[in-house]
Amino acid sequence: MLIRFRGATARHHHFMAVAISLVQSTLFSKPSIFLHRNALNGYSFSIPFSSSSAQKIQSHKWRQPVVSVLELGGVKIGKDDVVRDDPTNNVPDAIFSKLGRQLHRRDQHPIGILKNAIYDYFDANYSNKFDKFDDLCPIVSTKENFDDVLVPPDHISRSYNDTYYIDPQTVLRCHTSAHQAELLRRGHTHFLVTGDVYRRDSIDSTHYPVFHQMEGVRVFFPGDWEASGMDGTSYAAEDLKKCLEGLARHLFGDVEMRWIDTYFPFTNPSFELEIYFQEKWLEVLGCGVTEQEILKKSGKTDNVAWAFGLGLERLAMVLFGIPDIRLFWSTDERFTSQFSKGELGVKFKPYSKYPPCYKDMSFWINESFTENNLCEVVRGVAGDLVEEVQLIDDFTNKKGMTSQCYRITYRSMERSLTDEEINELQVIVLECLNRNLKIGPTFPKENLFS
């Protein structure tokens, strides 16, 4: 199939006719033959790049060096502990490099400022009863990440398409709930857990493969609810809503709120809290009454509890007016200098709006193809220069074959991109897609920009 391939920058438009095919057997068809490592800095592939491709990526000034050892929670972690030459390992260098950043522990960063504002609320309203944990290691077992919080064996979140696996029994945590059971077993009855969490995801202004969550848990004893005339579950649910409505007012002011019944595998009943803010309804968090099975396995046989979880980036983008989730990772002083300890809700002042560059690509897909795998390849090559990867066309012919067209938007948050460097990046992206997803042009790459 002959397809038109389009690319545009602020100065030029390039049109390319490219024939792209996808073979029926792809690299990602089974978890047992997933990504593994080679010498390429920034991303890993089962099929090696040409040396010229690797050198091109490494030579770009926007490629950050990846440290070999970092310390988390007092434990030293080597790169080889996370990024392994193992067919079940799908953690790229770019993700490992984020492990030591810990934005939530920086008092002058929007994520840290928001975390501390939530701490202030709980300290003021619960007399410092809540224990706080913000340095727990993000490397956890599949038991902690899934089994301990009752995630079903066939749940999609367990797939290699959604989760970063170090090996079949070890992952980068997908949520801070991965520490809930262990803390309950240790005897903690009121606690907040904050940390970086990792999920393979799409690429746009509100999604990033690393983000930050806060988990809150409170355990009740029979004496807490018996005098109220309510059963334990009803008592916990009422207390939970009262607590979180107060938190929403603390962060957003006197706003209209509503509760939505929902489903989570680890709570019953389960709720989502929404607030009406800036003329639209905003989901703030998910929560519920902890499933009894979790409590019993943690030695809490006569108790009830509530739990909540919230995404710090989601709220910080609204409170600080930050338009792109990539900005949280920026080290540009024009960003970092705008925020100060204890100043919640200071509005971000954009310092520039550089022009985007668009590149479209079309290809046939089969049942093994996923958008997350595509985004991992693109992100692995271009890093945070990629603003969005968007499906713009989907076509199925009479034979049942499906073709999809994706648009890659490149845009730096710090400078204008040149035609030359984006064209060079796009060639490398195509080469990587060809080698890893069996997607790519059928004629030499030097013809692409003629």
Side-chain angles (χ1 to χ4, degrees):
M1 177 179 174
L2 190 65
I3 312 157
R4 185 161 298 278
F5 212 107
R6 299 180 178 89
T9 66
R11 291 185 293 166
H12 298 287
H13 292 268
H14 298 276
F15 296 94
M16 303 171 293
V18 182
I20 300 180
S21 63
L22 180 66
V23 298
Q24 291 301 306
S25 176
T26 72
L27 180 66
F28 298 92
S29 59
K30 295 181 181 179
S32 61
I33 54 172
F34 212 74
L35 299 174
H36 62 83
R37 308 305 303 174
N38 68 5
L40 178 66
N41 182 26
Y43 199 74
S44 60
F45 299 92
S46 289
I47 305 172
F49 280 127
S50 65
S51 59
S52 62
S53 296
Q55 290 170 358
K56 286 177 183 176
I57 293 178
Q58 291 175 325
S59 66
H60 277 293
K61 61 183 178 182
W62 45 264
R63 300 301 300 182
Q64 297 296 320
V66 179
V67 297
S68 58
V69 179
L70 52 85
E71 186 171 320
L72 294 173
V75 178
K76 288 187 176 180
I77 300 172
K79 180 180 172 183
D80 291 341
D81 295 325
V82 179
V83 181
R84 301 175 181 174
D85 187 8
D86 184 315
T88 60
N89 183 288
N90 66 341
V91 183
D93 287 347
I95 295 301
F96 175 78
S97 70
K98 297 294 193 293
L99 288 174
R101 297 287 297 275
Q102 297 192 316
L103 304 183
H104 60 287
R105 303 189 72 193
R106 302 183 184 189
D107 291 342
Q108 293 183 315
H109 190 280
I111 300 298
I113 294 169
L114 176 56
K115 180 200 76 171
N116 290 332
I118 297 173
Y119 280 1
D120 290 343
Y121 169 78
F122 278 93
D123 287 344
N125 289 275
Y126 294 92
S127 303
N128 297 303
K129 286 184 178 180
F130 277 79
D131 300 320
K132 305 176 190 71
F133 303 89
D134 67 358
D135 62 348
L136 301 178
C137 183
I139 300 173
V140 299
S141 68
T142 53
K143 178 179 181 296
E144 293 169 320
N145 197 72
F146 299 120
D147 300 335
D148 284 353
V149 288
L150 309 183
V151 176
D154 59 349
H155 196 275
I156 189 172
S157 64
R158 291 180 181 257
S159 74
Y160 277 68
N161 185 58
D162 285 54
T163 295
Y164 288 108
Y165 278 81
I166 296 173
D167 59 44
Q169 288 78 44
T170 313
V171 299
L172 296 179
R173 64 185 171 211
C174 301
H175 46 205
T176 47
S177 303
H179 305 285
Q180 183 183 121
E182 175 62 23
L183 291 173
L184 287 170
R185 284 192 291 269
R186 291 182 188 177
H188 296 282
T189 59
H190 299 67
F191 57 86
L192 302 170
V193 179
T194 312
D196 41 338
V197 297
Y198 300 78
R199 296 180 191 174
R200 301 178 83 239
D201 211 337
S202 55
I203 300 176
D204 59 37
S205 63
T206 61
H207 291 86
Y208 201 78
V210 189
F211 58 103
H212 298 78
Q213 280 190 344
M214 181 181 289
E215 167 102 354
V217 172
R218 183 183 186 186
V219 178
F220 298 92
F221 295 83
D224 294 323
W225 70 79
E226 287 175 348
S228 70
M230 304 170 66
D231 63 87
T233 298
S234 299
Y235 183 86
E238 183 176 283
D239 184 87
L240 170 66
K241 291 183 177 181
K242 179 181 178 181
C243 169
L244 296 180
E245 286 173 359
L247 176 60
R249 284 190 289 269
H250 176 72
L251 297 177
F252 293 94
D254 189 15
V255 293
E256 183 181 354
M257 307 180 204
R258 67 184 183 188
W259 289 97
I260 309 296
D261 292 336
T262 189
Y263 165 79
F264 300 115
F266 29 79
T267 54
N268 184 27
S270 301
F271 315 101
E272 289 178 346
L273 174 60
E274 295 184 350
I275 64 171
Y276 195 72
F277 189 72
Q278 297 177 347
E279 300 184 350
K280 63 181 179 180
W281 285 102
L282 170 71
E283 179 190 332
V284 176
L285 52 79
C287 61
V289 178
T290 307
E291 284 281 6
Q292 279 296 304
E293 183 178 347
I294 294 175
L295 294 173
K296 289 178 180 178
K297 287 182 177 179
S298 302
K300 303 286 191 296
T301 56
D302 298 320
N303 306 92
V304 295
W306 55 243
F308 73 85
L310 56 83
L312 294 176
E313 276 85 350
R314 173 196 291 268
L315 302 187
M317 290 180 79
V318 175
L319 287 166
F320 292 94
I322 296 172
D324 193 312
I325 196 169
R326 294 176 298 165
L327 281 165
F328 289 113
W329 299 93
S330 177
T331 57
D332 191 316
E333 288 187 1
R334 291 174 294 178
F335 177 79
T336 58
S337 64
Q338 294 191 35
F339 308 103
S340 301
K341 180 179 179 180
E343 295 186 7
L344 181 68
V346 173
K347 295 303 180 184
F348 168 67
K349 296 181 178 64
Y351 41 85
S352 59
K353 185 66 172 179
Y354 296 105
C357 170
Y358 302 104
K359 301 290 182 182
D360 295 352
M361 56 185 179
S362 300
F363 44 83
W364 297 106
I365 67 169
N366 64 19
E367 293 180 356
S368 300
F369 175 82
T370 71
E371 185 174 310
N372 279 358
N373 290 335
L374 171 68
C375 289
E376 281 291 297
V377 174
V378 175
R379 186 186 284 115
V381 173
D384 285 351
L385 292 186
V386 183
E387 180 177 85
E388 185 174 24
V389 174
Q390 180 185 14
L391 177 65
I392 60 173
D393 188 48
D394 186 282
F395 168 75
T396 301
N397 66 14
K398 294 180 180 179
K399 295 182 179 180
M401 298 175 63
T402 298
S403 170
Q404 292 185 341
C405 181
Y406 284 86
R407 174 164 295 161
I408 303 177
T409 303
Y410 295 96
R411 191 203 308 259
S412 171
M413 297 176 289
E414 299 173 355
R415 62 185 177 85
S416 292
L417 303 174
T418 67
D419 289 337
E420 181 181 3
E421 66 181 313
I422 294 304
N423 289 343
E424 184 178 303
L425 270 179
Q426 187 68 3
V427 168
I428 301 173
V429 166
L430 289 172
E431 181 177 345
C432 296
L433 292 174
N434 184 34
R435 292 182 181 275
N436 294 273
L437 302 186
K438 305 303 181 184
I439 301 171
T442 57
F443 49 79
K445 65 183 181 183
E446 55 264 30
N447 291 340
L448 293 179
F449 300 99
S450 58

